[in-house]
Amino acid sequence: MLPFLFIATTLLSLILFYQGTGKDKRVLVFSIFWLLSIGLISYNGYFENTQEKPPRFIFAVIPSIIAFIWFYRTIDLNRIKPKFLVAVHVVRIPVELILFELFLQKKVPILMTFKGWNFDILMGILATFILFYMLYTKKNPSKSFILSWNILGLLFLTAIVLMAVLSSPLPIQLLAFDQPNLAVLQFPYIYLPTYIVPVVFISHLLTLKDTLHG
């Protein structure tokens, strides 16, 4: 059941981000192609082999980073839909709940959950209230609030990404040797570092870019 819930969460992030970009067809095409490709590669355990040098995991992350940097530079700010970009962050709630269940299954360390050092679920909860406010009042929050919330969200996300990397069974592992971060090397949880995290990052960045240029 948990893998299906995570796949559903990934697809929800795709739909919300696609809507948030004003239905940019490039986002949809890349997302479908990338999710299918990385899913097929990871399904047979390709990324679980951590003995290869350089680590195979790098080849899962780098293309995603390049693609989303390109999206950040080319997506038309006049077409973006702020409500949907905020809605993307609500996905952080089910992600954090799934991470906790993966901890119980000994697939991620406790530091990656809300019982450890990961407070990212707070950003998802706050995003829910912000989205409700936007829908109810039909207004956007103040510019200073938007800037503060997105910067805080980026800091929270950067912190958990660093923890995830440093607790993974890679040559640079520094944390959680007793229960390393194994799940993100497996299908479908490979979608967390290769798709969901980049989508959340760029949703913050596009909102900041739109706010600063507005």
Side-chain angles (χ1 to χ4, degrees):
M1 176 63 72
L2 198 64
F4 292 106
L5 288 174
F6 193 79
I7 291 172
T9 301
T10 303
L11 293 177
L12 177 60
S13 69
L14 186 165
I15 293 168
L16 293 173
F17 183 62
Y18 172 61
Q19 294 286 341
T21 60
K23 299 183 179 180
D24 190 314
K25 295 296 190 297
R26 298 170 303 169
V27 169
L28 183 62
V29 171
F30 167 78
S31 296
I32 294 173
F33 170 79
W34 181 241
L35 291 175
L36 287 174
S37 299
I38 207 71
L40 287 172
I41 294 171
S42 64
Y43 186 76
N44 293 317
Y46 179 80
F47 298 111
E48 295 178 59
N49 183 344
T50 58
Q51 304 304 314
E52 295 288 333
K53 294 184 179 180
R56 292 177 174 179
F57 183 66
I58 292 176
F59 302 108
V61 175
I62 290 179
S64 182
I65 293 173
I66 293 172
F68 279 93
I69 289 175
W70 181 66
F71 285 141
Y72 173 75
R73 294 173 60 89
T74 61
I75 285 174
D76 186 356
L77 293 181
N78 294 318
R79 295 182 57 188
I80 67 170
K81 308 296 183 184
K83 292 183 180 66
F84 283 101
L85 292 181
V86 171
V88 165
H89 302 289
V90 178
V91 169
R92 292 158 95 153
I93 299 175
V95 165
E96 295 306 315
L97 295 176
I98 290 170
L99 281 175
F100 184 72
E101 182 60 32
L102 288 172
F103 157 69
L104 296 178
Q105 296 179 13
K106 301 186 182 303
K107 291 184 178 181
V108 302
I110 192 170
L111 63 85
M112 283 185 60
T113 73
F114 51 77
K115 289 196 71 174
W117 300 349
N118 183 0
F119 307 107
D120 203 54
I121 194 170
L122 297 176
M123 300 307 299
I125 294 170
L126 187 53
T128 304
F129 286 105
I130 295 171
L131 183 61
F132 177 79
Y133 170 84
M134 295 173 73
L135 292 172
Y136 182 75
T137 66
K138 301 188 185 303
K139 297 188 298 184
N140 292 334
S142 68
K143 183 175 181 179
S144 59
F145 180 86
I146 293 174
L147 292 174
S148 300
W149 179 71
N150 281 283
I151 291 171
L152 183 63
L154 286 171
L155 291 174
F156 272 44
L157 193 58
T158 300
I160 183 57
V161 167
L162 288 174
M163 285 188 281
V165 171
L166 294 177
S167 61
S168 298
L170 301 171
I172 60 173
Q173 183 178 3
L174 296 175
L175 303 169
F177 289 96
D178 57 329
Q179 188 169 318
N181 180 16
L182 300 173
V184 295
L185 304 177
Q186 303 169 354
F187 177 84
Y189 310 111
I190 189 76
Y191 291 146
L192 181 58
T194 61
Y195 191 79
I196 294 178
V197 168
V199 161
V200 173
F201 255 115
I202 194 174
S203 295
H204 273 310
L205 293 174
L206 284 174
T207 303
L208 284 171
K209 188 177 182 181
D210 180 54
T211 303
L212 292 172
H213 284 76

